Amino acid sequence: MRFLNILTLLLVIVGGINWGLVGLAQVDLVAALFGGQQAPLARIVYVAVGASALWQLIPWFRSFSTREEYALRH
């Protein structure tokens, strides 16, 4: 479970950096690396980042109902 949390957190960070680049420089790094927004690999990355954001909601909600140390470990 810890590996999955770390992996999804990294993907959320990648997504955040990509959106920052889109907002600041109008550069979609994922699309540039994988052949455009409609390229199958780029779409897989977009879906993985979105799913990771949803997954990261679990520890976030747990942090409201349990001690923070417990929420971070699970």
Side-chain angles (χ1 to χ4, degrees), residues 10-68:
L10 287 173
L11 284 171
V12 168
I13 291 168
V14 166
I17 291 170
N18 192 58
W19 276 110
L21 287 171
V22 169
L24 290 173
Q26 297 179 356
V27 173
D28 186 342
L29 189 58
V30 172
L33 290 175
F34 298 115
Q37 288 183 338
Q38 297 302 317
L41 195 52
R43 293 179 55 90
I44 289 169
V45 171
Y46 294 138
V47 170
V49 168
S52 295
L54 292 174
W55 181 264
Q56 284 297 314
L57 288 174
I58 296 169
W60 185 64
F61 281 124
R62 283 185 182 164
S63 71
F64 293 117
S65 62
T66 61
R67 295 182 328 194
E68 185 175 346

